[in-house]
Amino acid sequence: MRNDPFGQGNYQQGGTRRRGGGFNLRWIILLGFAGYAAFYWFSNRVVDPYSGEKVLIDNSISVEEEKAMGLQAYQEILQQERPVDPNTPFARDVREIARRLVSKIPQVEAAIAQERGTQPTGNWKTFEWEVNVIQSDQANAFCLPGGKMAVYTGLQPVAQNADAMAVVMGHEIAHALLRHGAQRMSQQKLTQIGQMAGAMSGMDPQQQQMVMAAMGYGYLLPYARSHETQADEVGLMLAAAACFDPQEAVPLWERMSQASGGEAPPEFSSTHPNPGTRIQNLTALMPKAMEYRQRFCQAGSAGAGQ
Ligand SMILES: [Zn+2]
């Protein structure tokens, strides 16, 4: 290990020995930053009402601020990628699916919080929901913090039906409800603290990376995967509560993994659990989804004839 980030640790094997003074200073800087990172971590932990786990959300990123950022991003996206005519049948269907999903958020959030013994956040109360369809070959969709959503026309042939579309849109809505955007920003800040520590202590990028891994920054990708698993669960419950058929989720993700065999859009590829695991998780959740469907899908709230 020529580039041992810990300088004169126990296992240096020749050639890279550094002077004692620099070594001490480096450690002081690193410890200072580690202290700051730890402080940042512990002072910004909140209980996530959906998972019941403690998650990192920077106190300075309020729901309102997040919403403003989401709105700004949405306007930029809609300027670059023109939405289709909102009166096309597909755009109407997508809006109706969104409306049904959104109408079940209060009940689903309350039910999940009760299962986990947490308090519902009610973050969605400030959301201003909107959904546009964007012309694109990508099988993709998103929901930004604050409730601004988009579905790409390329998702239509993969989803094939309203139930599967509801599963995807429920997944996207869940990301916004669970404040995954704010969590990612908070993680990035933590990563920046680490990078700053590395740079200030005079490490080269390779050494920095090794230290980051040693300090526990290697959790970023698994963390993103856990966001996906949570969004799958909450999204599935929303779809079921809104009277869609949750069983469509399994064939949907099978089609999705086939469709994304080539060039997959980021939301459904890199950070996502491997398709087998995802389908296994969803299959395990099916009894609960059917229970939610029975409990919350009352007569009259189904899609037909509205
Ligand atoms: Zn996702």
Side-chain angles (χ1 to χ4, degrees), residues 1-4 7-8 12-19:
M1 247 194 205
R2 279 182 65 86
N3 284 315
D4 173 12
Q8 304 177 339
Q12 94 274 4
Q13 281 159 353
T16 57
R17 194 176 178 85
R18 289 191 171 82
R19 298 178 55 149

Side-chain angles (χ1 to χ4, degrees), residues 34-276:
Y36 177 45
F39 171 75
Y40 180 76
W41 171 262
F42 285 110
S43 56
N44 291 289
R45 300 271 282 168
V46 293
V47 174
D48 177 7
Y50 288 92
S51 63
E53 291 161 13
K54 279 199 163 184
V55 294
L56 182 71
I57 295 185
D58 193 314
N59 293 324
S60 68
I61 309 171
S62 68
V63 174
E64 281 297 323
E65 210 173 355
E66 221 188 328
K67 183 178 148 189
M69 285 188 275
L71 181 62
Q72 200 190 344
Y74 196 61
Q75 283 162 348
E76 281 166 20
I77 291 164
L78 291 188
Q79 271 167 13
Q80 285 163 15
E81 308 178 64
R82 298 281 308 266
V84 304
D85 179 354
N87 291 313
T88 60
F90 182 54
R92 283 175 187 274
D93 288 350
V94 162
R95 265 204 314 282
E96 176 59 12
I97 294 168
R99 190 196 62 75
R100 281 169 59 184
L101 291 168
V102 164
S103 74
K104 294 297 175 178
I105 291 172
Q107 287 155 296
V108 169
E109 187 189 54
I112 292 177
Q114 197 183 24
E115 284 163 20
R116 309 287 206 266
T118 57
Q119 288 295 315
T121 63
N123 287 337
W124 46 268
K125 285 177 189 160
T126 65
F127 282 25
E128 291 168 45
W129 300 99
E130 182 182 340
V131 58
N132 277 285
V133 172
I134 290 172
Q135 185 72 46
S136 163
D137 292 339
Q138 283 189 10
N140 208 1
F142 64 78
C143 179
L144 295 168
K148 302 296 184 192
M149 307 171 65
V151 169
Y152 292 72
T153 49
L155 188 57
Q156 195 176 15
V158 180
Q160 292 180 5
N161 57 62
D163 298 295
M165 188 61 86
V167 169
V168 178
M169 290 169 69
H171 172 101
E172 298 308 322
I173 289 173
H175 276 310
L177 293 176
L178 295 162
R179 300 193 69 198
H180 286 162
Q183 289 182 38
R184 261 200 305 277
M185 282 188 274
S186 308
Q187 287 164 11
Q188 276 160 6
K189 189 160 168 187
L190 200 59
T191 309
Q192 279 163 5
I193 296 170
Q195 281 164 345
M196 217 161 20
M200 285 185 69
S201 61
M203 289 180 174
D204 63 45
Q206 197 190 350
Q207 287 175 319
Q208 284 181 38
Q209 260 181 6
M210 293 175 74
V211 171
M212 300 274 277
M215 283 170 72
Y217 287 97
Y219 75 108
L220 283 174
L221 191 61
Y223 203 81
R225 289 210 180 101
S226 87
H227 282 175
E228 291 315 310
T229 308
Q230 285 174 25
D232 275 351
E233 177 174 354
V234 173
L236 191 69
M237 297 310 144
L238 276 176
C243 308
F244 293 100
D245 181 3
Q247 317 220 57
E248 282 294 328
V250 171
L252 161 78
W253 289 114
E254 279 165 357
R255 288 194 296 272
M256 191 73 93
S257 76
Q258 278 161 11
S260 64
E263 202 176 311
E267 160 63 351
F268 300 115
S269 61
S270 55
T271 61
H272 279 65
N274 83 53

